[in-house]
């Protein structure tokens, strides 16, 4: 019996990772990524020349790194960051077992199939493949199965970046998602490589009012009325469309007619982008979403405080001070009565569209899709790559899908009911990782 191909190994591993069901519900005791770490350790068992490091900052929250040391200390290292946790499921809305990894009509169903276990599996298979080739790479190659990405990495990549920063290199990193196609107006092909991600500027806006009996509201300062006005003023904020790359390049990649292109560049209409409208709006603006509103408890008591929480996502270059200034300006005469508290704050991060790793991605895409343009957008949400970028490294979202798999269709799978991945895309991503890894570290 010959060895399994990289693609076959990837599919088998993907199914095991789904079945382990490492569900991260944002609480420290959830996740239990130790199960996926054990599965990965078994996957690498017997692979020659692989160093294994386990990290467990909280019981069960295991991240695991597999490193093949390079022969040339001057060669560029490569680190593949694959998260092993998945988001919870609303089981009643699924028509398949969310943790069954069922194979139906050329698809594998399960929580995390797209986000991002198929990529994690492809990364592991590509690294094991190098180990088993018998030839050591020139550059040091590491694959990390990271816990806790879905809760912003505090017990995963974020913890590693802070407490085990020297365990592996952060200089050149790959992670989710990337490799889908843009529906270009003239029918030509364009492939996405994710070069950055928006930041976080979470805020709580608190107001105070007069406490008292609900039966006697006359002449009282009502906290609920005030927070409602705060919410109205915040919802009316219309941040300006960005003029900075990658937005203009992303718009031009669609090759729309000049009128449509101008509307998009000016941010006046996103209609032409169809299912990509919402994502594209987020990519071109600071966004402010009111998500949590709290006041009162008992119906007969006037609450003395009320607050509104805002999920704010800044673009590269937009600071936390910019966000506060925008809020204060919108609150106007109410601003002195509103306390603005910073919750999670992280600046956006972006990597250059040049340099050795970016070039290797472009070359790999050219190998599989010679006619495709390469388009570098930023993600609206977060990934573990921001930790690499903050350390001065570069980070790109890399995978590879068949031509019919558009950016819109991939985004729709993330955190969805009946999440699935096409086996043909798993195979392509496995082949693309194998090719890129060998190209980059010289294996
Ligand atoms: Zn993910």
């Amino acid at each position: 019996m010959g060895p399994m191909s990289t693609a076959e190994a990837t599919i088998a591993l993907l199914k095991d990772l789904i079945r382990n069901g490492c569900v991260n519900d944002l609480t420290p005791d959830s996740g239990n990524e130790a199960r996926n770490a054990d599965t990965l350790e078994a996957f690498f068992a017997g692979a020659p020349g692989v160093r294994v490091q386990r990290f467990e900052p909280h019981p069960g929250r295991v991240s695991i790194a597999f490193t093949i040391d390079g022969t040339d200390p001057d060669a560029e290292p490569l680190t593949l960051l694959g998260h092993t946790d998945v988001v919870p499921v609303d089981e009643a809305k699924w028509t398949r077992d969310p943790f069954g990894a069922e194979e139906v009509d050329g698809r594998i169903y399960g929580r995390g199939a797209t986000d991002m276990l198929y990529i994690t599996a492809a990364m592991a298979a590509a690294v094991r493949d190098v180990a088993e080739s018998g030839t050591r790479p020139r550059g040091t190659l590491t694959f990390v199965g990271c816990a806790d990405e879905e809760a912003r990495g505090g017990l995963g990549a974020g913890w590693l970046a802070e407490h085990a920063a020297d365990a592996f290199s952060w200089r050149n990193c790959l992670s989710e998602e990337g490799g889908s196609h843009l529906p270009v107006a003239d029918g030509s092909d364009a492939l996405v490589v994710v070069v950055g991600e928006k930041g976080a500027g979470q805020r709580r806006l608190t107001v105070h009012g007069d406490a008292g009996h609900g039966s006697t509201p006359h002449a009282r300062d009502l906290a609920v009325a005030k927070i409602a006005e705060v919410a109205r003023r915040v919802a009316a904020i219309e941040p300006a469309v960005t003029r900075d790359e990658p937005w203009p390049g992303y718009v031009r990649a669609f090759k729309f007619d000049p009128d449509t292109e101008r509307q998009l560049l000016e941010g006046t209409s996103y209609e032409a982008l169809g299912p990509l409208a919402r994502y594209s709006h987020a990519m071109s603006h600071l966004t402010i979403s009111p998500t949590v509103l709290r006041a009162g408890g008992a119906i007969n008591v006037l609450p003395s405080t009320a607050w509104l929480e805002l999920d704010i996502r800044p673009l590269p270059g937009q600071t936390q001070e910019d966000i506060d200034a925008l809020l204060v300006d919108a609150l106007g005469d109410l601003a002195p009565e509103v306390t603005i508290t910073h919750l999670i704050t992280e600046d956006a991060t972006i990597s250059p569209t040049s340099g050795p790793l970016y070039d290797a991605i472009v070359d790999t895409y050219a190998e599989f899709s010679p006619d495709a343009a390469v388009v570098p957008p930023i993600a609206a949400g977060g990934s573990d790559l921001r930790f690499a970028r903050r350390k001065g490294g570069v980070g790109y979202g890399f995978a590879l899908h068949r031509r019919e798999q558009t950016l819109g269709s991939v985004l729709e799978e993330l955190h969805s009911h009946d999440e699935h991945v096409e086996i043909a895309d798993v195979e392509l991503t496995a082949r693309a990782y194998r090719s890129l890894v060998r190209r980059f570290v010289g294996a």
Side-chain angles (χ1 to χ4, degrees), residues 118 178-179 181 191 365 368-369 398-402 425-426 428-429 432:
Y118 82 102
H181 301 256
L191 268 164
Y365 282 164
F368 289 88
S369 303
F398 176 76
L400 188 59
H401 295 271
R402 287 154 311 132
D425 290 333
V426 181
L428 260 180
T429 296

Side-chain angles (χ1 to χ4, degrees), residues 155-170:
L155 295 171
W159 186 90
L160 292 168
E162 199 177 331
H163 301 281
D166 298 327
F168 50 84
S169 171
W170 297 87

Side-chain angles (χ1 to χ4, degrees), residues 83 85-87 114-117 149-150 175-177 382-384 414-415:
H83 71 76
D85 60 328
V86 301
V87 294
T114 290
D115 182 6
M116 63 172 281
L117 299 178
E149 190 277 338
E150 298 291 355
S175 190
E176 60 193 333
E177 286 283 339
S383 84
D384 286 333
L414 307 179
H415 302 191

